[in-house]
Amino acid sequence: MEPPQDVFGRTFVEVMSEKYSPENFPVRRGPGIGVVVVPITCPQGSPMKDRLNLPSILVLTGCGINRAGDQAEIAAFCAHVIELDLSHNKLQDWQEISKIVSNIPNLEFLNLSSNPLGGVTLEPRCAECFSRVRRLVFNNTQVSWDTLLLLTRETTELEELFLCLNEYSSVSASSMACPSLRLLHITDNSLKDWAEVRKFGSMFPSLDTLIMANNNLASIEDSKDILLRLFPKLRSINLHNSGFNRWEDIEKLNFFPRLEEVRLQGIPLLQTYTNTEQRSLMVAQLPSISLLNGSVVTDSEREDAERFFIRYHLDYPEEELPYRYHSLVTKYGKLEPLAEIDLRPRCRAEVEVHCEEKVEQLSIRLDQTVAELKKQLTTVVQLSTSSMRIYYIDKCSAFGPEEMKYKTRALHSYSIQDGDEILVVPKTKLKAGVQLPK
């Protein structure tokens, strides 16, 4: 018995024919969905159907594809395709990949994530077919830097490059720049040394967005003069979960001349600060940033943050004051500390409990009810809750005692202060006509 056909992988043509066969799309559902493609010429003996419901965005993920199949059929059916997702397949031969790409003339986006491309050599003649692609995704492929440099030389219109989860700890420098690249997404690697990141500046001189979260980058080591020239067009940078532990690294972000968005969370430097302190100190350190960690920095927030920054450093020794402190003092002056006002509601009060001739000091909770206070007083005055009436006496008020007769009323609603009095009167005394104090 012959083994199943997909044990050794499947062809792109087979999977495309199966997934987009008219039998799987009996009803058309609108423009762009299930586009019927009729090839001008159909190779003799082709297993393909004469018609396919083929969209311009092909998604063939996790299908076991490891080779192209008949190139004539790819060319016949894929002339209108602009995006192709081949992630999570078994492609490990650049020649087979180039057969697919070279027969899709309008291809702009290619996703090859999670295909085993590590250690596979790309020949220059195979790289030429990628020249029209604008966005390339190589996440979790372990594709080599030699291959990437060859591709970036050939893809003269490349705008976005995704290289996440590839275990990179170093970057191979290139003698030729890729001036078209705008976005580099290279998260979850091991680029800890700034010397490696520096290479991106010469390789991608027009870089607009650099996303390199989860690389544990240790620090930014270059001087102001170098940083001003390194990324002249960089607008956005993501350094989440870097290893920064010095404010100097944050300050150096100001030297990128066009930087306006920073994402920087999960770094050791900020661990000892509250969330509010983290944001305020960062906003004050980065005067040109309009977006921090995805949130807009308003003018009022910036002013509050800068004033907070000055006050935060008031007690620092002169030699430890950051450079930004002096520029902000020039702007606002040396501010006085804010007065500390505790607006929290009082939770306890020290009162005098009077019962006949007996006077005792008692600490009472203000969040309890009148009924709960009566229970507390039973051990002080030796009366049951049902045999007493209690009155509140505000020592600063001209009014007389106020009977506390509503059992569920909270004590804080009486505005009880330290030194006020609680008068306990046995009901038997009230029946005998005892007068309450005025």
Side-chain angles (χ1 to χ4, degrees):
M1 179 182 296
E2 294 184 358
Q5 190 175 5
D6 62 356
V7 167
F8 304 108
R10 309 180 68 197
T11 70
F12 173 82
V13 172
E14 289 170 349
V15 173
M16 178 176 63
S17 176
E18 179 183 294
K19 180 171 182 177
Y20 295 104
S21 167
E23 296 173 1
N24 295 327
F25 295 89
V27 179
R28 293 185 63 183
R29 292 185 282 274
I33 302 178
V35 178
V36 177
V37 179
V38 183
I40 298 174
T41 59
C42 188
Q44 188 174 5
S46 169
M48 296 277 282
K49 304 293 183 182
D50 289 340
R51 299 164 66 86
L52 286 182
N53 287 287
L54 205 63
S56 60
I57 299 175
L58 291 186
V59 180
L60 301 174
T61 63
C63 298
I65 299 171
N66 71 343
R67 57 196 188 279
D70 193 303
Q71 296 183 69
E73 291 180 341
I74 299 174
F77 284 94
C78 296
H80 68 297
V81 171
I82 59 174
E83 295 190 11
L84 177 59
D85 186 347
L86 292 174
S87 59
H88 298 276
N89 280 291
K90 299 178 180 179
L91 291 162
Q92 54 184 338
D93 186 335
W94 282 107
Q95 188 169 355
E96 293 298 320
I97 296 171
S98 66
K99 289 177 183 177
I100 298 172
V101 174
S102 61
N103 286 287
I104 307 180
N106 294 303
L107 189 65
E108 296 181 358
F109 171 85
L110 176 62
N111 185 356
L112 291 172
S113 296
S114 298
N115 280 278
L117 298 175
V120 183
T121 302
L122 172 64
E123 298 294 334
R125 59 184 177 80
C126 293
E128 294 174 0
C129 65
F130 290 86
S131 60
R132 298 174 303 278
V133 179
R134 295 178 181 272
R135 292 177 291 158
L136 281 172
V137 186
F138 293 121
N139 297 335
N140 192 33
T141 58
Q142 283 69 51
V143 62
S144 71
W145 273 103
D146 288 341
T147 295
L148 290 172
L149 296 180
L150 178 56
L151 282 170
T152 56
R153 285 198 296 269
E154 295 296 335
T155 49
T156 55
E157 299 180 18
L158 185 64
E159 296 177 359
E160 299 179 5
L161 182 59
F162 296 77
L163 302 173
C164 308
L165 296 163
N166 282 324
E167 303 178 5
Y168 297 140
S169 59
S170 62
V171 174
S172 298
S174 174
S175 58
M176 292 183 61
C178 178
S180 60
L181 195 74
R182 302 289 185 269
L183 180 147
L184 177 61
H185 199 302
I186 192 164
T187 63
D188 295 282
N189 286 283
S190 299
L191 298 173
K192 301 178 182 180
D193 192 339
W194 180 255
E196 303 304 321
V197 181
R198 185 188 300 126
K199 298 171 186 176
F200 295 145
S202 58
M203 292 165 62
F204 311 121
S206 300
L207 200 62
D208 172 273
T209 303
L210 176 58
I211 304 173
M212 51 177 304
N214 305 328
N215 274 277
N216 200 28
L217 180 66
S219 65
I220 300 177
E221 298 167 358
D222 286 328
S223 65
K224 176 180 178 179
D225 290 341
I226 294 175
L227 294 175
L228 284 170
R229 300 190 303 269
L230 187 61
F231 292 109
K233 297 184 179 180
L234 189 67
R235 184 194 56 82
S236 174
I237 192 168
N238 184 332
L239 295 169
H240 282 336
N241 298 317
S242 295
F244 294 171
N245 55 23
R246 304 178 307 159
W247 279 109
E248 289 85 345
D249 293 315
I250 309 301
E251 292 175 353
K252 286 184 177 181
L253 294 174
N254 291 311
F255 301 145
F256 298 132
R258 295 194 182 180
L259 192 66
E260 59 185 45
E261 178 179 6
V262 170
R263 291 177 182 266
L264 189 56
Q265 293 178 314
I267 63 175
L269 174 66
L270 301 178
Q271 288 179 354
T272 59
Y273 300 98
T274 66
N275 290 339
T276 301
E277 289 172 340
Q278 288 180 20
R279 184 167 177 87
S280 294
L281 293 172
M282 290 277 287
V283 168
Q285 285 275 21
L286 300 169
S288 300
I289 298 305
S290 57
L291 280 168
L292 178 62
N293 295 327
S295 297
V296 174
V297 179
T298 63
D299 292 340
S300 60
E301 181 189 14
R302 184 175 302 286
E303 180 174 345
D304 290 344
E306 290 175 344
R307 290 178 177 274
F308 171 82
F309 189 90
I310 294 174
R311 292 188 172 99
Y312 187 87
H313 291 92
L314 283 178
D315 297 328
Y316 276 56
E318 182 68 25
E319 63 274 11
E320 295 182 15
L321 289 172
Y323 173 80
R324 183 66 176 151
Y325 172 84
H326 299 290
S327 60
L328 290 177
V329 167
T330 301
K331 181 178 181 180
Y332 296 104
K334 194 168 183 178
L335 305 177
E336 294 297 325
L338 294 175
E340 293 187 9
I341 301 175
D342 190 354
L343 298 178
R344 293 174 298 179
R346 292 172 56 84
C347 58
R348 302 193 75 86
E350 300 292 330
V351 298
E352 289 185 356
V353 177
H354 292 254
C355 183
E356 299 182 305
E357 301 300 322
K358 187 176 182 181
V359 179
E360 284 200 23
Q361 296 290 329
L362 185 66
S363 177
I364 61 173
R365 285 182 18 248
L366 299 180
D367 61 345
Q368 64 183 335
T369 62
V370 170
E372 291 170 326
L373 175 61
K374 280 188 171 184
K375 288 182 181 179
Q376 184 180 0
L377 292 172
T378 57
T379 59
V380 177
V381 300
Q382 305 303 316
L383 292 172
S384 66
T385 57
S386 60
S387 60
M388 71 171 79
R389 285 189 177 178
I390 60 175
Y391 299 81
Y392 166 54
I393 301 174
D394 182 349
K395 296 189 73 173
C396 297
S397 173
F399 298 100
E402 178 183 356
E403 183 175 2
M404 305 172 77
K405 58 185 177 181
Y406 299 106
K407 295 181 180 181
T408 58
R409 182 174 173 180
L411 298 190
H412 62 72
S413 67
Y414 290 94
S415 300
I416 299 174
Q417 302 294 319
D418 290 340
D420 288 346
E421 298 178 4
I422 301 294
L423 175 63
V424 181
V425 180
K427 287 183 178 180
T428 55
K429 296 290 184 178
L430 290 172
K431 290 178 181 179
V434 173
Q435 294 295 316
L436 298 176
K438 299 296 184 183

